Amino acid sequence: MVLTPPRFNPRCYRAGGANSDRNGRIALKRRDAALFNVIRHHPASFSAARIALHTARRAALNSRFRTLALSPMNKALELKKAKRTPLLLLAAAACVFVVTALMPRGVWIDGIKAVAEAAMVGALADWFAVAALFRRVPIPVVSAHTAIIPRNKHKIADNLAVFVQDKFLDVPSLVGLIKKHDPAQSITRWLTEPANTARLGNYVVKLTSGILDLTDDVRIQVFIKDALRDVLAKVDLSQSMGSILDTLTKDGRHQELLDAGIEQVVALLREPQARQFIAERIVDWVKSEYPKMEKILPSAWLGEKGAETIANAVNRMLEQVSENPTHQLRQKFDDAAHKLIVKLKSDPAFLEKGEEFKRYLVEGEALALYVKDMWGELRAWLKRDLQSSESALHARVVAAGQWVGRELANDPALRQSLNDHLEDAARAMAPEFAQFLTRHISDTVKNWDPHEMSRQIELNIGKDLQYIRINGTVVGGFIGLLLYGSSLVFDLLRMHIG
């Protein structure tokens, strides 16, 4: 059996224009084709697939109708439709009134006429009440109290802003919201999902890539260079170096550095390459200083023996220094370090040298070239990494998100601490944020055109206000009936008493 996908019915849409209908048809056709493939490849699941197809089409249509209902054009149509019902009720009451007024009087005719009169009064009164909210009604005397929303735009703006501030942005409401929803637990659940951390990494990569595309390299370089120059201009290099050395020499730390240096020199002198180098230098010295004797003497042997002698002598001396904490060389090294610290801090010559070096860094081109090369290398690395399928930045963001999720999941105290910090932040930021947002709401509403503002409010709530007119017509009719019945009762009582 050959199955064909169900045809799309364009009459499903009643509003939204040609473009919206065409887009809706395309979307539903794609959905139908996908589900039809399921039916074709899995005949056993034909019934379930038909149900899925029907459900999907209904969901798509409901979503489409919700979208269309939000458009201003459809709101205007709905408002026009809503106004039609109370208008028809008013017209019906007027027709009944005219008909009963032309008919011979009687108890039933007068009663129906009274109901029609009261219904018209209620309908017209409520029509005036609703219309007076949005536009000027040209009725003498009372017209000054119509167009309430356009005339009171500034008051509405201020009152709306205060209402939002008092009811939604006050500190107890925000803190209570945090306590109710436990955002730390929500963050934990979100971060423990691998798909979410991968999505977070994608967002960071896209954001970074966008920032790199928008940045001006020259301005970034100038910014970094100016920042470094400002930092260097505030630093006294000589004094700073003196302070650093002073810190490093406390508790004999510089002696540890001397010991490390001695170990390196001893290890170097034990290397055959180092001894060969010393021997070659000795031979070169003999050739240059005593050329005639060099022809007679075994210079190569002298070089080897001299290198061995020098290396052994230096080794013995350094071993003695290393084994003796009070060795004279250590004391001289200690004195030299302290003298250097004093000179760096107080000697005018050292201070001037420090200032000269700082001027060279600040005013020279070396810093600008260094910043340019550094930013260029960083930008190029970021570009390569962001374009790579195995981005290191993406991997680090994902790993960081997973780590945070695990830590929050395994540490209830940490989650509580996060909630406490969010509550403290809400208490600290809520007043300023509330003032900013309410001021923004107030200023925005005040800047609206009064008639456009009135129209937008009517489009959004005018449909529901038409029930006031309908209720006014119905309630007015009942009140008219009640009053007419009361008048009959009073007439009977008067006749009985008379």
Side-chain angles (χ1 to χ4, degrees), residues 3 27 39 69-70 73 78 116 137 175 178 203 252-253 275 277 351 368 383 387-388 402 459 495:
L3 299 178
I39 297 174
L70 295 176
M73 181 184 298
E78 289 180 357
V137 181
V175 173
I178 293 173
Y203 289 153
R253 295 173 186 167
R275 297 199 176 194
F277 176 79
L351 296 176
K383 280 286 188 182
Q387 294 172 0
S388 172
Q402 293 174 347
L459 285 176
M495 292 174 58

Side-chain angles (χ1 to χ4, degrees), residues 26-179:
I26 292 172
L28 283 180
K29 282 183 177 179
R30 288 176 179 172
R31 188 184 299 272
D32 292 349
L35 290 171
F36 176 70
N37 288 332
V38 175
I39 297 174
R40 186 175 63 184
H41 292 97
H42 302 279
S45 303
F46 178 76
S47 177
R50 287 187 61 186
I51 295 173
L53 177 61
H54 179 67
T55 304
R57 287 174 61 83
R58 285 189 59 185
L61 288 173
N62 291 335
S63 175
R64 177 68 180 151
F65 287 137
R66 284 196 297 270
T67 303
L68 291 174
L70 295 176
S71 65
M73 181 184 298
N74 287 280
K75 287 182 179 179
L77 291 174
E78 289 180 357
L79 179 60
K80 189 175 180 179
K81 269 189 208 177
K83 287 182 177 180
R84 196 177 299 159
T85 301
L87 184 61
L88 290 174
L89 287 177
L90 175 60
C95 290
V96 171
F97 173 76
V98 171
V99 170
T100 54
L102 296 176
M103 294 177 67
R105 296 192 61 181
V107 175
W108 288 104
I109 298 299
D110 290 345
I112 295 173
K113 180 183 176 184
V115 171
E117 287 177 348
M120 286 194 299
V121 171
L124 290 172
D126 287 337
W127 166 83
F128 174 80
V130 173
L133 289 173
F134 305 106
R135 61 187 62 85
R136 182 179 178 274
V137 181
I139 299 177
V141 182
V142 298
S143 62
H145 301 286
T146 59
I148 294 172
I149 291 176
R151 288 176 185 270
N152 296 276
K153 182 183 70 170
H154 285 70
K155 289 183 180 179
I156 293 173
D158 292 335
N159 291 332
L160 177 63
V162 171
F163 174 76
V164 172
Q165 180 178 4
D166 292 342
K167 301 301 181 181
F168 296 97
L169 300 177
D170 59 314
V171 174
S173 297
L174 293 178
V175 173
L177 190 67
I178 293 173
K179 289 182 177 179

Side-chain angles (χ1 to χ4, degrees), residues 201-487:
N202 292 334
Y203 289 153
V204 172
V205 168
K206 290 179 181 178
L207 178 62
T208 307
S209 181
I211 292 173
L212 287 177
D213 292 336
L214 294 175
T215 53
D216 186 345
D217 288 347
V218 176
R219 291 187 179 182
I220 294 293
Q221 293 169 15
V222 171
F223 171 76
I224 298 175
K225 182 175 65 177
D226 291 342
L228 289 175
R229 283 179 173 174
D230 290 340
V231 171
L232 289 173
K234 298 176 182 178
V235 174
D236 188 336
L237 292 181
S238 182
Q239 288 275 0
S240 300
M241 290 299 297
S243 300
I244 293 172
L245 286 177
D246 195 8
T247 302
L248 293 176
T249 56
K250 282 184 178 180
D251 301 327
R253 295 173 186 167
H254 59 300
Q255 295 293 341
E256 297 177 3
L257 180 62
L258 179 61
D259 290 335
I262 290 173
E263 290 178 2
Q264 293 297 322
V265 173
V266 171
L268 179 63
L269 291 175
R270 289 173 181 168
E271 294 290 333
Q273 295 87 347
R275 297 199 176 194
Q276 182 180 357
F277 176 79
I278 296 173
E280 291 175 353
R281 299 290 78 77
I282 293 174
V283 172
D284 292 339
W285 176 77
V286 172
K287 287 181 179 180
S288 61
E289 294 295 330
Y290 306 99
K292 295 181 180 180
M293 295 182 64
E294 189 271 334
K295 295 178 181 180
I296 302 173
L297 297 174
S299 54
W301 180 82
L302 289 175
E304 293 177 1
K305 291 299 181 182
E308 185 178 354
T309 302
I310 292 172
N312 292 335
V314 172
N315 280 338
R316 283 195 298 272
M317 183 189 69
L318 293 178
E319 288 174 357
Q320 291 175 1
V321 173
S322 178
E323 295 171 358
N324 187 3
T326 60
H327 195 277
Q328 185 179 4
L329 184 60
R330 288 185 180 276
Q331 295 177 357
K332 289 183 178 181
F333 178 69
D334 197 17
D335 294 339
H338 287 297
K339 287 179 181 179
L340 179 60
I341 292 171
V342 172
K343 286 184 177 181
L344 286 172
K345 288 184 176 181
S346 58
D347 192 328
F350 276 84
L351 296 176
E352 179 59 29
K353 285 291 183 182
E355 291 298 318
E356 181 180 348
F357 182 66
K358 186 170 68 176
R359 284 194 299 272
Y360 169 76
L361 290 177
V362 172
E363 299 173 3
E365 293 298 324
L367 182 63
L369 293 175
Y370 173 75
V371 170
K372 181 180 179 181
D373 293 341
M374 179 184 68
W375 171 248
E377 292 179 3
L378 177 61
R379 181 187 176 90
W381 178 83
L382 284 173
K383 280 286 188 182
R384 289 193 303 271
D385 182 73
L386 295 176
Q387 294 172 0
S388 172
S389 58
E390 299 180 355
S391 171
L393 179 62
H394 182 276
R396 288 182 181 275
V397 172
V398 171
Q402 293 174 347
W403 177 81
V404 172
R406 287 195 302 271
E407 291 297 318
L408 288 172
N410 297 328
D411 194 343
L414 183 60
R415 293 198 300 273
Q416 184 59 45
S417 176
L418 178 58
N419 285 333
D420 293 341
H421 281 86
L422 290 174
E423 292 176 15
D424 293 340
R427 293 188 184 94
M429 297 173 61
E432 293 184 4
F433 177 72
Q435 290 179 5
F436 165 77
L437 191 58
T438 52
R439 186 167 58 250
H440 172 68
I441 294 173
S442 177
D443 293 343
T444 301
V445 175
K446 288 178 180 178
N447 289 329
W448 286 348
D449 177 74
H451 300 291
E452 179 62 21
M453 169 186 169
S454 177
R455 191 180 80 86
Q456 290 297 327
I457 294 176
E458 185 178 13
L459 285 176
N460 285 278
I461 67 172
K463 178 183 174 182
D464 297 326
L465 292 179
Q466 302 311 309
Y467 290 104
I468 296 176
R469 296 174 57 186
I470 296 173
N471 293 336
T473 306
V474 175
V475 173
F478 277 114
I479 292 175
L481 179 62
L482 180 63
L483 292 177
Y484 179 73
S486 300
S487 66

